[in-house]
């Protein structure tokens, strides 16, 4: 139990660090649309892979969970694409 | 109605203890809707710019004032608006719209210096900053100041003159407002302004013998431009005014709906809505000890929050 909690803390801390790094990248390219979009895509891919990997290590990975992470990641990318396109 | 909203937003038996909007099918519908809106709204904007367009209020007068304000704050002498540089900037903007490119150099290799030379400005130092898609003059200058290379150009002691062009048109398929800023110096003196805004005696400097090229700064050595073969810039007599300082003084447009604001508001509402739904979904499930095989809501909340924060901090325009 203790071991699982510790693993959760490591996992969530690493997600926060990765997402903050992504936010830094996105703001760094705030006036370059292409680089901005690439950075958002990168953050979405990392987030989805990290989430899937975590569920895999927890032995809770199912096809539905993979789809959920892919869809939430895609939603973030598509919303940014919408903002850039309009 | 209440039941439907509850079904959409909160976990309960009818939605298998997962808010319906978080189901893969609902997410897919929203993604497809966003993609459709990304294609439809720009098309509508193209055909009805008076209804859905880009609200713009950019004037050369304001751009000059803001540029000089930044220079004075940095202890530098303000720049003087030069008619020839203004004409060069206007020719560059017209050339970009006519040939459909967004770059310092044209597709045929025409450099900004060709426009400056064709305008009759004999420079020792010259530079160029570009911007597009901004709605106000202060947003343009702030974006340049936020970029190190553009800031170096704007706050360079090498320049004494400036010329601006603000032009609206279609560039690479998008209705946009282009801003071209051209800097120059006909002598090799670098006037400096002390913090108390008094002019210091000119500091003589040795002319640079090697051209320095960077992202947006190109300094060509003194005294003339022998290596440049001036390419005649496409000129339209009706578009080329005699007094360029006042020719493209401002671009002001006020459509019924400002497209960038609309897009930003929709995106913020959508992301905010999902963050709130995920939060309550997580809370209710935890409180009721419901077991289900789904992803971690906290992950999704963190990811969507990063997207929301990015959306709030990124600028509306692009600089080059």
């Amino acid at each position: 139990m203790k071991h699982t909690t510790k693993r959760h803390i490591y996992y969530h801390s690493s997600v926060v660090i990765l997402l903050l790094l992504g936010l830094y990248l996105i703001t760094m390219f705030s006036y370059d649309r292409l680089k901005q979009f690439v950075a958002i895509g990168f953050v979405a891919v990392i987030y989805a892979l990290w989430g899937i990997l975590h569920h895999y290590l927890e032995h809770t990975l199912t096809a539905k969970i993979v789809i959920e992470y892919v869809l939430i990641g895609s939603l973030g990318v598509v919303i940014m694409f919408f903002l850039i396109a309009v | 109605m209440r039941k439907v909203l509850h079904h959409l937003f909160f976990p309960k038996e009818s939605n298998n203890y997962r808010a319906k909007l978080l189901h893969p099918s609902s997410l897919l519908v929203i993604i497809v809707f966003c993609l459709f809106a990304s294609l439809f709204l720009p098309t509508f904007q193209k055909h009805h710019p008076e209804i859905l367009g880009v609200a713009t209020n950019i004037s050369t007068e304001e751009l000059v004032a803001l540029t000089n304000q930044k220079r004075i704050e940095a202890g530098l002498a303000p720049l003087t608006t030069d008619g020839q540089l203004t004409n060069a900037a206007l020719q560059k903007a017209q050339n970009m719209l006519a040939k459909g490119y967004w770059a310092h150099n044209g597709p045929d290799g025409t450099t900004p210096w060709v426009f400056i030379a064709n305008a009759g400005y004999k420079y020792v130092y010259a530079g160029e900053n570009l911007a597009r898609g901004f709605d106000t003059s202060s947003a343009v200058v702030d974006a340049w100041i936020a970029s190190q290379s553009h800031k170096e150009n704007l706050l360079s002691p090498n320049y004494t003159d400036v010329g601006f062009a603000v032009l609206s048109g279609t560039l690479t398929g998008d209705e946009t407002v282009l801003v071209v800023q051209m800097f120059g110096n006909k002598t090799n003196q670098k006037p400096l302004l002390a913090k108390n805004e008094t002019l210091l005696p000119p500091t003589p400097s040795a002319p640079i013998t090697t051209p320095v090229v960077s992202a947006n700064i190109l300094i060509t050595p003194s005294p003339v431009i022998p290596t440049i073969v001036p390419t005649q810039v496409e000129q339209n007599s009706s578009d080329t005014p005699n007094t360029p300082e006042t020719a493209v003084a401002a671009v002001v447009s006020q459509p019924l709906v400002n497209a960038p604001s609309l897009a930003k508001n929709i995106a913020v509402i959508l992301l905010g809505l999902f963050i709130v739904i995920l939060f309550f979904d997580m809370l209710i499930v935890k409180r009721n000890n419901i077991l289900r095989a789904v992803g971690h809501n906290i992950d999704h909340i963190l990811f969507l929050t990063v997207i929301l924060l990015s959306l709030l901090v990124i600028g509306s325009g692009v600089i080059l």
Side-chain angles (χ1 to χ4, degrees):
Chain A
M1 184 69 181
K2 214 173 184 180
H3 181 68
T4 314
T5 313
K6 211 171 179 182
R7 211 166 59 189
H8 270 297
I9 291 169
Y10 283 144
Y11 165 72
H12 287 298
S13 310
S14 60
V15 167
V16 170
I17 290 167
L18 281 170
L19 290 175
L20 286 176
L21 182 74
L23 183 65
Y24 172 73
L25 275 177
I26 294 162
T27 49
M28 207 170 76
F29 302 130
S30 67
Y31 293 106
D32 189 325
R33 290 283 160 83
L34 184 69
K35 285 180 186 167
Q36 220 171 67
F37 196 65
V38 169
I40 289 160
F42 172 75
V43 171
V45 169
I46 293 288
Y47 145 80
L49 287 178
W50 214 244
I52 292 165
L53 180 73
H54 179 63
H55 279 278
Y56 174 76
L57 293 173
E58 274 190 335
H59 307 288
T60 53
L61 188 65
T62 61
K64 206 178 154 190
I65 288 175
V66 173
I67 291 169
E68 187 180 316
Y69 275 90
V70 170
L71 285 174
I72 295 276
S74 306
L75 181 72
V77 174
V78 163
I79 287 177
M80 288 309 283
F81 176 71
F82 168 70
L83 189 79
I84 291 168
V86 178
Chain B
M1 184 67 182
R2 208 178 149 191
K3 262 187 174 177
V4 174
L5 288 176
H6 211 275
H7 178 74
L8 283 173
F9 297 112
F10 301 105
K12 53 188 282 197
E13 201 180 346
S14 70
N15 53 29
N16 205 17
Y17 297 102
R18 180 74 158 162
K20 183 65 187 168
L21 279 174
L22 300 178
H23 284 219
S25 55
S26 308
L27 289 171
L28 198 61
V29 168
I30 291 164
I31 288 168
V32 171
F33 170 77
C34 286
L35 280 174
F36 174 74
S38 308
L39 299 174
F40 172 74
L41 287 179
T43 313
F44 182 81
Q45 196 180 333
K46 209 171 183 176
H47 291 97
H48 302 283
E50 72 288 353
I51 300 171
L52 184 68
V54 181
T56 310
N57 189 357
I58 302 177
S59 74
T60 53
E61 202 179 297
E62 249 189 312
L63 288 167
V64 172
L66 289 165
T67 299
N68 281 336
Q69 189 189 321
K70 297 287 180 196
R71 287 179 67 88
I72 289 166
E73 281 168 12
L76 295 160
L79 301 171
T80 311
T81 306
D82 183 274
Q84 289 169 328
L85 280 181
T86 304
N87 201 10
L90 175 63
Q91 295 300 326
K92 172 65 188 272
Q94 285 175 339
N95 192 264
M96 285 169 82
L97 290 175
K99 294 181 179 166
Y101 67 94
W102 168 244
H104 287 291
N105 294 340
D108 53 358
T110 311
T111 63
W113 329 126
V114 173
F115 298 101
I116 296 177
N118 283 353
Y121 190 91
K122 300 262 184 282
Y123 64 91
V124 177
Y125 297 100
E128 181 190 67
N129 278 348
L130 300 174
R132 67 183 276 200
F134 288 92
D135 50 0
T136 61
S137 308
S138 58
V140 174
V141 176
D142 287 347
W144 282 332
I145 287 292
S147 155
Q148 191 55 38
S149 55
H150 293 85
K151 184 181 172 182
E152 280 168 14
N153 234 1
L154 207 129
L155 300 180
S156 169
N158 291 328
Y159 305 130
T160 53
D161 304 318
V162 72
F164 278 100
V166 186
L167 213 56
S168 65
T170 307
L171 188 70
T172 54
D174 294 329
E175 269 300 316
T176 193
V177 175
L178 271 181
V179 179
V180 178
Q181 181 183 40
M182 283 195 169
F183 303 96
N185 188 349
K186 287 177 178 173
T187 66
N188 60 358
Q189 292 177 341
K190 299 176 186 178
L192 289 168
L193 198 67
K195 290 283 178 203
N196 58 5
E197 299 180 21
T198 23
L199 274 170
L200 296 171
T203 317
S205 63
I208 299 166
T209 49
T210 317
V212 180
V213 181
S214 72
N216 64 316
I217 309 167
L218 283 123
I219 302 167
T220 309
S222 167
V224 272
I225 340 102
T227 51
I228 295 171
V229 182
T231 310
Q232 193 54 47
V233 181
E234 196 176 300
Q235 290 193 358
N236 182 340
S237 57
S238 62
D239 290 338
T240 312
N242 294 326
T243 53
E245 294 98 314
T246 54
V248 192
V251 170
V252 181
S253 69
Q254 198 59 56
L256 205 61
V257 180
N258 186 22
S261 301
L262 176 77
K264 200 164 192 164
N265 289 340
I266 292 174
V268 167
I269 290 169
L270 212 54
L271 286 168
L273 183 73
F274 269 97
I275 291 169
V276 170
I277 294 173
L278 283 161
F279 179 75
F280 279 106
D281 185 82
M282 183 175 72
L283 211 68
I284 292 166
V285 165
K286 199 164 177 104
R287 188 177 286 173
N288 297 324
N289 283 324
I290 298 165
L291 284 175
R292 50 182 197 183
V294 293
H296 296 298
N297 278 14
I298 191 76
D299 286 357
H300 305 330
I301 291 172
L302 286 171
F303 171 69
L304 294 178
T305 304
V306 163
I307 299 292
L308 182 66
L309 289 175
S310 318
L311 187 150
L312 294 174
V313 296
I314 57 173
S316 59
V318 187
I319 55 173
L320 191 67

